């Protein structure tokens, strides 16, 4: 018997693996008639100190993420998903999703992408590995 999910959370950014995760989340939400929560995380630690202290810059970055989320929302609507929620969080993506977003949304499935790493980068932890290890709910990692 297949599990039927009621609330699906998908993490998105501009990467190819996140797009694959989003497409899978669309399929799963449609199949289960589930609510779809689309989250993107504003990473302030990726900004230099001047950008992080500039409220206009941070606001612009947030606006850009919100615009991207609206594009994802439109794709979900076109796919026939009826319950769609978007949110922008701030911080380290893995920690923020696990510590803040999941308790807020209370999903029963987290779907994320995992970029395949090459060379020395493969020896360091990834956001996907962190979320799979520490998530209190089921995690589906898409490659």
């Amino acid at each position: 018997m297949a599990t039927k999910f009621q609330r699906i959370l998908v993490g998105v950014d501009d990467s190819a693996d996140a797009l694959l995760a989003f497409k899978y989340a669309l399929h799963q939400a449609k199949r289960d008639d589930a609510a779809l929560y689309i989250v993107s995380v504003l990473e302030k630690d990726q900004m230099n100190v001047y950008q992080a202290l500039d409220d206009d810059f941070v606001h612009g970055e947030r606006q850009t993420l919100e615009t991207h989320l609206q594009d994802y929302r439109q794709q979900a609507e076109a796919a026939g998903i009826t319950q769609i929620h978007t949110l922008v969080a701030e911080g380290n993506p893995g920690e923020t999703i696990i510590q803040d977003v999941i308790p807020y949304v209370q999903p029963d499935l987290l779907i994320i992408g995992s970029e395949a790493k090459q060379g020395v980068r493969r020896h360091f932890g990834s956001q996907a590995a962190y979320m799979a290890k520490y998530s209190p709910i089921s995690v589906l990692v898409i490659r």
Side-chain angles (χ1 to χ4, degrees), residues 44-109:
K44 284 189 174 180
D45 63 340
Q46 297 295 320
M47 299 176 198
N48 68 44
V49 68
Y50 300 108
Q51 292 170 329
L53 293 174
D54 183 350
D55 287 340
D56 290 335
F57 182 84
V58 173
H59 180 70
E61 290 294 304
R62 180 178 271 282
Q63 277 300 120
T64 299
L65 284 179
E66 289 174 356
T67 299
H68 284 299
L69 287 175
Q70 290 311 310
D71 293 340
Y72 283 110
R73 174 187 282 280
Q74 290 173 350
Q75 291 178 51
E77 288 171 349
I81 309 300
T82 57
Q83 300 176 66
I84 308 161
H85 309 274
T86 61
L87 61 137
V88 174
E90 291 183 16
N92 173 287
E95 292 174 7
T96 299
I97 288 173
I98 297 303
Q99 295 172 7
D100 301 329
V101 177
I102 288 176
Y104 176 75
V105 171
Q106 298 182 338
D108 27 39
L109 177 65

Side-chain angles (χ1 to χ4, degrees), residues 11-66:
V12 297
D13 57 22
D14 289 332
S15 65
D17 58 308
L19 184 57
L20 287 174
F22 176 72
K23 288 180 179 181
Y24 192 91
L26 286 180
H27 170 75
Q28 189 72 44
K30 178 88 172 161
R31 187 189 86 172
D32 293 348
D33 192 29
L36 181 63
Y37 291 80
I38 309 165
V39 64
S40 192
V41 180
L42 177 61
E43 298 179 69
K44 284 189 174 180
D45 63 340
Q46 297 295 320
M47 299 176 198
N48 68 44
V49 68
Y50 300 108
Q51 292 170 329
L53 293 174
D54 183 350
D55 287 340
D56 290 335
F57 182 84
V58 173
H59 180 70
E61 290 294 304
R62 180 178 271 282
Q63 277 300 120
T64 299
L65 284 179
E66 289 174 356

